[in-house]
C-alpha cells in the first residue's frame, strides 16, 4: 500500500509478499502529481491519520512492514495511532518511523523481523500495549 494522504481509513487489510514496504506512508510536505494544482495549500505530512486498525504486514522485502518516510517525516497535529497492527517476517523492520513525530503503535504484534521497531530522528513516538518477539518458536531463519 503506497499511501500519500493519511486522511483515509484502513481497516483489516493485509500487505504481504511485496518487494517494497507493506504499508508505506510517503507523505510529503506538499501534494504531488495531477492533484497538486487542485490543492496548492495542502501539506500531507502534517495531516492527521483518520483510522488505521487491525492491519497486517508480513513477508515484505522492503525497508519495513509499516513505514513512514521520506526525509521530511510525517508530523501530524495530533497523535497518529496505528491500532492492533501485526507486522511479522519482514526482511528488515516490522515498523520504521522516520523523522516524524506523534506516532504510536498501540496493541501491536511484531515478530520475526530483522528489527522489530526502528525509530529514527524523533523522540515523541510511542510503542504501547504491544508484543515484540525476536524469533518465535514457529519460525526459524
Amino acid at each position: 500500500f503506497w499511501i500519500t494522504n493519511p486522511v483515509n481509513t484502513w481497516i483489516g487489510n493485509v500487505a504481504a509478499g511485496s518487494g517494497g514496504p507493506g504499508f508505506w506512508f510517503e507523505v510529503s510536505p506538499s501534494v504531488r502529481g495531477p492533484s497538486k494544482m487542485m490543492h496548492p495549500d495542502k501539506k500531507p505530512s502534517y495531516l492527521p491519520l483518520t483510522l488505521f486498525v487491525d492491519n497486517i504486514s508480513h513477508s515484505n522485502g522492503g525497508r519495513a512492514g509499516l513505514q513512514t518516510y521520506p526525509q521530511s517525516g510525517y508530523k501530524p497535529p495530533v497523535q497518529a495511532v496505528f491500532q492492533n497492527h501485526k507486522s511479522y517476517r519482514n526482511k528488515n523492520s516490522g515498523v520504521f518511523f522516520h523523522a516524524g513525530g506523534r506516532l504510536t503503535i498501540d496493541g501491536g504484534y511484531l515478530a520475526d523481523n530483522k528489527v522489530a521497531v526502528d525509530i529514527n530522528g524523533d523522540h515523541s513516538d510511542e510503542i504501547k500495549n504491544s508484543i515484540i518477539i525476536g524469533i518465535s518458536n514457529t519460525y526459524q531463519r
Side-chain angles (χ1 to χ4, degrees), residues 76-94:
V78 296
Q79 203 72 25
V81 180
F82 299 86
Q83 300 172 330
N84 302 326
H85 182 67
K86 293 179 182 173
S87 191
Y88 58 93
R89 296 185 187 172
N90 294 289
K91 182 178 179 182
N92 289 303
S93 300

Side-chain angles (χ1 to χ4, degrees), residues 93-105:
S93 300
V95 174
F96 176 49
F97 289 156
H98 180 75
R102 295 182 288 278
L103 307 175
T104 297
I105 296 290

Side-chain angles (χ1 to χ4, degrees), residues 122-133:
D122 180 60
H123 300 287
S124 65
D125 298 334
E126 299 178 318
I127 308 297
K128 60 185 186 178
N129 305 314
S130 296
I131 296 171
I132 298 175
I133 300 170

Side-chain angles (χ1 to χ4, degrees), residues 13-29:
N13 297 288
V14 177
S18 166
F23 294 92
W24 179 12
F25 282 80
E26 187 189 21
V27 289
S28 298

Side-chain angles (χ1 to χ4, degrees), residues 16-128:
S18 166
F23 294 92
W24 179 12
F25 282 80
E26 187 189 21
V27 289
S28 298
S30 63
V31 175
R32 300 174 303 180
S35 300
K36 185 173 187 155
M37 299 305 284
M38 297 180 340
H39 305 284
D41 298 326
K42 282 272 188 223
K43 299 181 187 304
S45 59
Y46 296 97
L47 295 174
L49 176 63
T50 300
L51 186 63
F52 189 94
V53 64
D54 295 334
N55 294 293
I56 299 170
S57 55
H58 73 85
S59 308
N60 295 291
R63 178 78 177 121
L66 166 63
Q67 80 174 25
T68 60
Y69 193 80
Q71 297 292 339
S72 56
Y74 176 37
K75 302 169 185 164
V78 296
Q79 203 72 25
V81 180
F82 299 86
Q83 300 172 330
N84 302 326
H85 182 67
K86 293 179 182 173
S87 191
Y88 58 93
R89 296 185 187 172
N90 294 289
K91 182 178 179 182
N92 289 303
S93 300
V95 174
F96 176 49
F97 289 156
H98 180 75
R102 295 182 288 278
L103 307 175
T104 297
I105 296 290
D106 188 359
Y109 175 86
L110 309 168
D112 303 318
N113 301 293
K114 189 174 186 179
V115 175
V117 180
D118 185 354
I119 298 174
N120 185 335
D122 180 60
H123 300 287
S124 65
D125 298 334
E126 299 178 318
I127 308 297
K128 60 185 186 178

